[in-house]
Amino acid sequence: MKYVKPLSLLGNALKTKVSVPGRFLGLDVGDKYVGLAISDPSNMVASPLSVLLRKKSNIDLMATDFQNLVKAFSVSGLVVGYPFGKLNNVEDVVTVNLFIEELRKTEKLKDVKYTYWDERLSSKTVELMLKPLNLHPVQEKTMLDKLAAVVILQEYLDYANRYVNTEPAE
């Protein structure tokens, strides 16, 4: 896995000599779960995809799941939610960094590029939307993780699509 700056991720995807650029996979990384969202083929709209159970013992299995998703959806990059500016919550920063490092160590995603995107308020935004639905706590948690990944990916897509054609890539 190789880190690239946010605008470079979409810019590089658009520069590839294929008729349709690859899609993006959004990740909301938590202690127990990783929420997933996928962009449409035009990289304009994010949709919820799935939630993966996260355990230290299953990182190899998760890497295989990501390999399969990259193939199945022609994914050209990952947009990973990152807790920028959360000075009080170092645990969230460590959680995301450890997860990415563990995925990299499996070497199953060598050619996959990723970038970080600000995840602040993504879960809170979704919580406020889900609260009136009075869902079962397990169902609410699953929806929260998937939809937080959607918010992260959609915010990235909106920003990148607005600036990738008007500014040089970072």
Side-chain angles (χ1 to χ4, degrees):
M1 290 176 54
K2 181 181 183 232
Y3 173 79
V4 294
K5 292 182 179 180
L7 290 180
S8 296
L9 189 66
L10 182 60
N12 291 340
L14 293 173
K15 288 178 190 172
T16 56
K17 294 180 173 36
V18 292
S19 58
V20 178
R23 298 163 80 171
F24 295 109
L25 194 61
L27 282 68
D28 179 44
V29 180
D31 289 332
K32 296 180 183 176
Y33 302 100
V34 178
L36 302 176
I38 189 77
S39 68
D40 68 322
S42 66
N43 289 318
M44 298 298 282
V45 179
S47 299
L49 184 63
S50 181
V51 174
L52 298 178
L53 180 62
R54 180 175 179 228
K55 291 183 185 175
K56 192 169 186 157
S57 61
N58 75 345
I59 193 68
D60 205 55
L61 181 60
M62 287 184 83
T64 301
D65 288 342
F66 280 114
Q67 269 184 323
N68 293 335
L69 290 169
V70 165
K71 259 187 222 167
F73 291 102
S74 301
V75 171
S76 65
L78 308 179
V79 178
V80 182
Y82 196 83
F84 292 110
K86 283 190 175 178
L87 298 175
N88 297 337
N89 203 347
V90 176
E91 292 171 14
D92 290 345
V93 171
V94 171
T95 297
V96 174
N97 288 339
L98 273 174
F99 179 73
I100 293 299
E101 189 55 34
E102 289 169 354
L103 271 183
R104 287 172 64 174
K105 284 180 183 175
T106 68
E107 296 190 6
K108 291 186 175 186
L109 301 167
K110 283 182 189 175
D111 297 328
V112 176
K113 293 179 178 141
Y114 71 96
T115 196
Y116 292 120
W117 194 253
D118 192 351
E119 72 166 9
R120 284 180 295 180
L121 302 178
S122 62
S123 293
K124 196 63 169 169
T125 301
V126 175
E127 279 177 24
L128 292 172
M129 289 181 351
L130 293 177
K131 191 172 184 165
L133 299 177
N134 295 320
L135 299 170
H136 185 278
V138 173
Q139 189 179 19
E140 184 175 340
K141 179 64 178 143
T142 303
M143 292 293 292
L144 177 69
D145 291 328
K146 275 194 282 194
L147 294 176
V150 169
V151 170
I152 291 163
L153 182 56
Q154 189 62 56
E155 287 179 359
Y156 168 77
L157 293 172
D158 290 346
Y159 179 84
N161 280 306
R162 189 175 320 124
Y163 293 104
V164 81
N165 294 323
T166 59
E167 293 182 3
E170 293 179 1

Short mmCIF file of all heavy atoms in Angstrom, two decimals, residues 105-144:
data_model
loop_
_atom_site.label_atom_id
_atom_site.label_comp_id
_atom_site.label_asym_id
_atom_site.label_seq_id
_atom_site.Cartn_x
_atom_site.Cartn_y
_atom_site.Cartn_z
N LYS A 105 1.53 -4.66 6.21
CA LYS A 105 2.43 -5.78 6.53
C LYS A 105 1.99 -7.09 5.88
O LYS A 105 2.83 -7.96 5.64
CB LYS A 105 2.53 -5.97 8.05
CG LYS A 105 3.40 -4.94 8.72
CD LYS A 105 3.46 -5.19 10.22
CE LYS A 105 4.26 -4.13 10.93
NZ LYS A 105 4.22 -4.30 12.39
N THR A 106 0.72 -7.25 5.59
CA THR A 106 0.26 -8.48 4.93
C THR A 106 0.79 -8.56 3.50
O THR A 106 0.84 -9.65 2.93
CB THR A 106 -1.28 -8.58 4.88
OG1 THR A 106 -1.80 -7.57 4.02
CG2 THR A 106 -1.90 -8.49 6.26
N GLU A 107 1.13 -7.42 2.91
CA GLU A 107 1.62 -7.31 1.53
C GLU A 107 0.62 -7.82 0.49
O GLU A 107 0.99 -8.13 -0.63
CB GLU A 107 2.97 -8.01 1.39
CG GLU A 107 4.05 -7.35 2.24
CD GLU A 107 5.44 -7.88 1.94
OE1 GLU A 107 5.61 -8.67 1.00
OE2 GLU A 107 6.36 -7.47 2.66
N LYS A 108 -0.64 -7.91 0.87
CA LYS A 108 -1.67 -8.34 -0.08
C LYS A 108 -2.23 -7.18 -0.89
O LYS A 108 -2.93 -7.40 -1.86
CB LYS A 108 -2.81 -9.04 0.67
CG LYS A 108 -2.41 -10.37 1.26
CD LYS A 108 -3.60 -11.08 1.84
CE LYS A 108 -3.19 -12.47 2.31
NZ LYS A 108 -4.35 -13.25 2.75
N LEU A 109 -1.92 -5.96 -0.48
CA LEU A 109 -2.47 -4.79 -1.17
C LEU A 109 -1.34 -3.88 -1.65
O LEU A 109 -1.44 -2.66 -1.60
CB LEU A 109 -3.40 -4.04 -0.22
CG LEU A 109 -4.59 -4.84 0.32
CD1 LEU A 109 -5.26 -4.12 1.46
CD2 LEU A 109 -5.57 -5.14 -0.79
N LYS A 110 -0.26 -4.48 -2.13
CA LYS A 110 0.94 -3.74 -2.53
C LYS A 110 0.66 -2.61 -3.50
O LYS A 110 1.24 -1.54 -3.40
CB LYS A 110 1.96 -4.68 -3.16
CG LYS A 110 2.71 -5.53 -2.19
CD LYS A 110 3.73 -6.37 -2.95
CE LYS A 110 4.36 -7.40 -2.04
NZ LYS A 110 5.25 -8.28 -2.78
N ASP A 111 -0.18 -2.84 -4.48
CA ASP A 111 -0.40 -1.86 -5.54
C ASP A 111 -1.54 -0.89 -5.24
O ASP A 111 -1.87 -0.04 -6.07
CB ASP A 111 -0.69 -2.57 -6.86
CG ASP A 111 0.50 -3.42 -7.31
OD1 ASP A 111 1.65 -3.02 -7.01
OD2 ASP A 111 0.28 -4.47 -7.94
N VAL A 112 -2.14 -1.01 -4.08
CA VAL A 112 -3.29 -0.17 -3.74
C VAL A 112 -2.80 1.13 -3.11
O VAL A 112 -1.97 1.13 -2.21
CB VAL A 112 -4.25 -0.90 -2.78
CG1 VAL A 112 -5.40 0.01 -2.36
CG2 VAL A 112 -4.80 -2.16 -3.43
N LYS A 113 -3.33 2.24 -3.61
CA LYS A 113 -2.99 3.54 -3.05
C LYS A 113 -4.08 3.94 -2.06
O LYS A 113 -5.24 3.54 -2.21
CB LYS A 113 -2.88 4.58 -4.15
CG LYS A 113 -1.72 4.32 -5.07
CD LYS A 113 -1.64 5.34 -6.16
CE LYS A 113 -0.42 5.03 -7.00
NZ LYS A 113 -0.62 5.23 -8.38
N TYR A 114 -3.69 4.71 -1.07
CA TYR A 114 -4.67 5.19 -0.10
C TYR A 114 -4.35 6.62 0.29
O TYR A 114 -3.23 7.10 0.13
CB TYR A 114 -4.71 4.28 1.13
CG TYR A 114 -3.49 4.37 2.02
CD1 TYR A 114 -3.49 5.20 3.13
CD2 TYR A 114 -2.34 3.65 1.74
CE1 TYR A 114 -2.37 5.29 3.95
CE2 TYR A 114 -1.22 3.73 2.55
CZ TYR A 114 -1.24 4.56 3.65
OH TYR A 114 -0.13 4.65 4.45
N THR A 115 -5.37 7.29 0.80
CA THR A 115 -5.18 8.61 1.35
C THR A 115 -6.03 8.73 2.59
O THR A 115 -6.93 7.91 2.82
CB THR A 115 -5.53 9.72 0.33
OG1 THR A 115 -5.00 10.96 0.78
CG2 THR A 115 -7.04 9.84 0.11
N TYR A 116 -5.73 9.72 3.41
CA TYR A 116 -6.52 9.98 4.60
C TYR A 116 -7.46 11.15 4.34
O TYR A 116 -7.12 12.08 3.61
CB TYR A 116 -5.61 10.33 5.78
CG TYR A 116 -4.75 9.19 6.26
CD1 TYR A 116 -3.37 9.29 6.25
CD2 TYR A 116 -5.32 8.01 6.74
CE1 TYR A 116 -2.57 8.25 6.70
CE2 TYR A 116 -4.53 6.97 7.19
CZ TYR A 116 -3.16 7.09 7.17
OH TYR A 116 -2.38 6.06 7.61
N TRP A 117 -8.66 11.07 4.96
CA TRP A 117 -9.60 12.16 4.86
C TRP A 117 -10.20 12.41 6.24
O TRP A 117 -10.46 11.48 6.99
CB TRP A 117 -10.71 11.85 3.84
CG TRP A 117 -11.46 13.07 3.49
CD1 TRP A 117 -12.72 13.41 3.87
CD2 TRP A 117 -10.98 14.18 2.71
NE1 TRP A 117 -13.06 14.63 3.39
CE2 TRP A 117 -12.00 15.14 2.67
CE3 TRP A 117 -9.77 14.45 2.07
CZ2 TRP A 117 -11.86 16.34 1.99
CZ3 TRP A 117 -9.64 15.64 1.40
CH2 TRP A 117 -10.67 16.57 1.36
N ASP A 118 -10.43 13.67 6.54
CA ASP A 118 -10.91 14.08 7.85
C ASP A 118 -12.25 13.41 8.18
O ASP A 118 -13.22 13.56 7.44
CB ASP A 118 -11.07 15.60 7.88
CG ASP A 118 -11.27 16.14 9.27
OD1 ASP A 118 -11.46 15.35 10.22
OD2 ASP A 118 -11.24 17.38 9.42
N GLU A 119 -12.27 12.68 9.28
CA GLU A 119 -13.49 11.98 9.67
C GLU A 119 -14.24 12.68 10.80
O GLU A 119 -15.27 12.20 11.26
CB GLU A 119 -13.18 10.55 10.11
CG GLU A 119 -12.48 10.47 11.45
CD GLU A 119 -12.46 9.07 12.03
OE1 GLU A 119 -12.83 8.12 11.34
OE2 GLU A 119 -12.07 8.96 13.20
N ARG A 120 -13.72 13.82 11.24
CA ARG A 120 -14.39 14.52 12.34
C ARG A 120 -15.85 14.75 12.00
O ARG A 120 -16.20 15.15 10.90
CB ARG A 120 -13.73 15.86 12.62
CG ARG A 120 -12.43 15.72 13.37
CD ARG A 120 -11.82 17.05 13.62
NE ARG A 120 -11.44 17.65 12.32
CZ ARG A 120 -10.88 18.83 12.18
NH1 ARG A 120 -10.63 19.56 13.22
NH2 ARG A 120 -10.56 19.28 10.99
N LEU A 121 -16.68 14.46 12.95
CA LEU A 121 -18.13 14.66 12.88
C LEU A 121 -18.86 13.69 11.96
O LEU A 121 -20.08 13.74 11.86
CB LEU A 121 -18.48 16.11 12.50
CG LEU A 121 -17.94 17.19 13.44
CD1 LEU A 121 -18.31 18.56 12.91
CD2 LEU A 121 -18.44 17.00 14.85
N SER A 122 -18.15 12.78 11.27
CA SER A 122 -18.87 11.84 10.39
C SER A 122 -19.80 10.94 11.20
O SER A 122 -20.97 10.79 10.86
CB SER A 122 -17.89 11.00 9.56
OG SER A 122 -17.06 10.22 10.39
N SER A 123 -19.31 10.36 12.28
CA SER A 123 -20.16 9.49 13.11
C SER A 123 -21.25 10.29 13.80
O SER A 123 -22.39 9.83 13.91
CB SER A 123 -19.32 8.75 14.16
OG SER A 123 -18.45 7.84 13.52
N LYS A 124 -20.93 11.48 14.27
CA LYS A 124 -21.92 12.31 14.95
C LYS A 124 -23.05 12.70 14.00
O LYS A 124 -24.22 12.67 14.37
CB LYS A 124 -21.24 13.57 15.52
CG LYS A 124 -22.07 14.27 16.54
CD LYS A 124 -22.28 13.36 17.72
CE LYS A 124 -22.88 14.09 18.88
NZ LYS A 124 -23.32 13.18 19.93
N THR A 125 -22.70 13.03 12.77
CA THR A 125 -23.71 13.37 11.76
C THR A 125 -24.66 12.21 11.54
O THR A 125 -25.88 12.38 11.51
CB THR A 125 -23.01 13.73 10.42
OG1 THR A 125 -22.14 14.83 10.63
CG2 THR A 125 -24.01 14.07 9.33
N VAL A 126 -24.10 11.01 11.42
CA VAL A 126 -24.92 9.81 11.19
C VAL A 126 -25.76 9.49 12.43
O VAL A 126 -26.93 9.13 12.31
CB VAL A 126 -24.04 8.62 10.77
CG1 VAL A 126 -24.86 7.35 10.66
CG2 VAL A 126 -23.35 8.92 9.45
N GLU A 127 -25.18 9.62 13.61
CA GLU A 127 -25.92 9.36 14.85
C GLU A 127 -27.18 10.22 14.91
O GLU A 127 -28.26 9.74 15.27
CB GLU A 127 -25.06 9.68 16.07
CG GLU A 127 -24.09 8.61 16.47
CD GLU A 127 -23.22 9.03 17.64
OE1 GLU A 127 -23.62 9.92 18.44
OE2 GLU A 127 -22.12 8.47 17.77
N LEU A 128 -27.03 11.48 14.58
CA LEU A 128 -28.18 12.38 14.61
C LEU A 128 -29.25 11.99 13.59
O LEU A 128 -30.44 12.17 13.84
CB LEU A 128 -27.72 13.83 14.39
CG LEU A 128 -26.88 14.43 15.51
CD1 LEU A 128 -26.31 15.79 15.10
CD2 LEU A 128 -27.68 14.55 16.79
N MET A 129 -28.82 11.46 12.46
CA MET A 129 -29.78 11.01 11.44
C MET A 129 -30.49 9.73 11.87
O MET A 129 -31.67 9.54 11.59
CB MET A 129 -29.07 10.78 10.10
CG MET A 129 -28.61 12.04 9.43
SD MET A 129 -27.78 11.84 7.82
CE MET A 129 -27.50 10.14 7.59
N LEU A 130 -29.78 8.83 12.56
CA LEU A 130 -30.34 7.54 12.93
C LEU A 130 -31.19 7.59 14.20
O LEU A 130 -32.07 6.74 14.38
CB LEU A 130 -29.23 6.51 13.11
CG LEU A 130 -28.45 6.10 11.86
CD1 LEU A 130 -27.34 5.12 12.23
CD2 LEU A 130 -29.37 5.49 10.82
N LYS A 131 -30.93 8.54 15.06
CA LYS A 131 -31.61 8.60 16.36
C LYS A 131 -33.13 8.52 16.27
O LYS A 131 -33.76 7.75 16.98
CB LYS A 131 -31.18 9.85 17.12
CG LYS A 131 -31.62 9.86 18.55
CD LYS A 131 -31.02 11.01 19.33
CE LYS A 131 -31.44 10.85 20.78
NZ LYS A 131 -30.66 11.67 21.67
N PRO A 132 -33.78 9.29 15.38
CA PRO A 132 -35.24 9.23 15.31
C PRO A 132 -35.80 7.87 14.84
O PRO A 132 -36.98 7.60 14.99
CB PRO A 132 -35.63 10.32 14.31
CG PRO A 132 -34.40 11.08 14.02
CD PRO A 132 -33.24 10.30 14.50
N LEU A 133 -34.94 7.02 14.27
CA LEU A 133 -35.42 5.74 13.75
C LEU A 133 -35.61 4.68 14.83
O LEU A 133 -36.22 3.64 14.58
CB LEU A 133 -34.45 5.21 12.68
CG LEU A 133 -34.26 6.11 11.46
CD1 LEU A 133 -33.23 5.51 10.51
CD2 LEU A 133 -35.58 6.34 10.74
N ASN A 134 -35.06 4.92 16.03
CA ASN A 134 -35.18 3.98 17.16
C ASN A 134 -34.82 2.55 16.76
O ASN A 134 -35.58 1.62 16.99
CB ASN A 134 -36.59 4.03 17.76
CG ASN A 134 -36.89 5.37 18.39
OD1 ASN A 134 -36.02 5.95 19.03
ND2 ASN A 134 -38.10 5.85 18.20
N LEU A 135 -33.65 2.38 16.17
CA LEU A 135 -33.19 1.06 15.74
C LEU A 135 -32.66 0.26 16.93
O LEU A 135 -32.28 0.82 17.95
CB LEU A 135 -32.07 1.22 14.71
CG LEU A 135 -32.43 1.94 13.42
CD1 LEU A 135 -31.17 2.22 12.61
CD2 LEU A 135 -33.41 1.12 12.60
N HIS A 136 -32.63 -1.06 16.76
CA HIS A 136 -31.99 -1.92 17.75
C HIS A 136 -30.52 -1.52 17.82
O HIS A 136 -29.91 -1.20 16.79
CB HIS A 136 -32.13 -3.39 17.32
CG HIS A 136 -31.62 -4.36 18.32
ND1 HIS A 136 -30.28 -4.67 18.42
CD2 HIS A 136 -32.26 -5.07 19.28
CE1 HIS A 136 -30.11 -5.54 19.39
NE2 HIS A 136 -31.31 -5.80 19.94
N PRO A 137 -29.91 -1.52 19.01
CA PRO A 137 -28.51 -1.06 19.14
C PRO A 137 -27.52 -1.73 18.19
O PRO A 137 -26.63 -1.07 17.65
CB PRO A 137 -28.17 -1.38 20.60
CG PRO A 137 -29.48 -1.35 21.31
CD PRO A 137 -30.49 -1.84 20.32
N VAL A 138 -27.67 -3.04 17.95
CA VAL A 138 -26.75 -3.74 17.04
C VAL A 138 -26.96 -3.24 15.61
O VAL A 138 -26.00 -2.96 14.89
CB VAL A 138 -26.95 -5.27 17.12
CG1 VAL A 138 -26.13 -5.98 16.05
CG2 VAL A 138 -26.60 -5.78 18.51
N GLN A 139 -28.21 -3.11 15.22
CA GLN A 139 -28.52 -2.61 13.88
C GLN A 139 -28.05 -1.16 13.72
O GLN A 139 -27.51 -0.79 12.68
CB GLN A 139 -30.03 -2.70 13.64
CG GLN A 139 -30.44 -2.41 12.22
CD GLN A 139 -31.94 -2.55 12.03
OE1 GLN A 139 -32.73 -2.51 12.98
NE2 GLN A 139 -32.36 -2.71 10.79
N GLU A 140 -28.22 -0.37 14.77
CA GLU A 140 -27.79 1.03 14.72
C GLU A 140 -26.27 1.13 14.56
O GLU A 140 -25.77 1.94 13.78
CB GLU A 140 -28.23 1.77 15.99
CG GLU A 140 -27.90 3.24 15.94
CD GLU A 140 -28.43 4.00 17.14
OE1 GLU A 140 -29.36 3.52 17.81
OE2 GLU A 140 -27.90 5.09 17.40
N LYS A 141 -25.53 0.29 15.28
CA LYS A 141 -24.06 0.32 15.20
C LYS A 141 -23.59 -0.05 13.79
O LYS A 141 -22.69 0.58 13.24
CB LYS A 141 -23.46 -0.64 16.24
CG LYS A 141 -21.94 -0.69 16.23
CD LYS A 141 -21.31 0.63 16.61
CE LYS A 141 -19.80 0.54 16.63
NZ LYS A 141 -19.15 1.72 16.15
N THR A 142 -24.20 -1.07 13.21
CA THR A 142 -23.84 -1.50 11.85
C THR A 142 -24.12 -0.38 10.85
O THR A 142 -23.29 -0.07 10.00
CB THR A 142 -24.60 -2.78 11.46
OG1 THR A 142 -24.32 -3.78 12.42
CG2 THR A 142 -24.21 -3.27 10.10
N MET A 143 -25.30 0.22 10.98
CA MET A 143 -25.66 1.32 10.08
C MET A 143 -24.73 2.52 10.29
O MET A 143 -24.32 3.16 9.33
CB MET A 143 -27.11 1.75 10.32
CG MET A 143 -28.14 0.73 9.90
SD MET A 143 -28.17 0.48 8.13
CE MET A 143 -28.79 2.03 7.57
N LEU A 144 -24.41 2.79 11.55
CA LEU A 144 -23.53 3.91 11.87
C LEU A 144 -22.17 3.77 11.19
O LEU A 144 -21.67 4.71 10.57
CB LEU A 144 -23.35 4.02 13.39
CG LEU A 144 -22.41 5.10 13.88
CD1 LEU A 144 -22.99 6.48 13.64
CD2 LEU A 144 -22.12 4.91 15.36
#
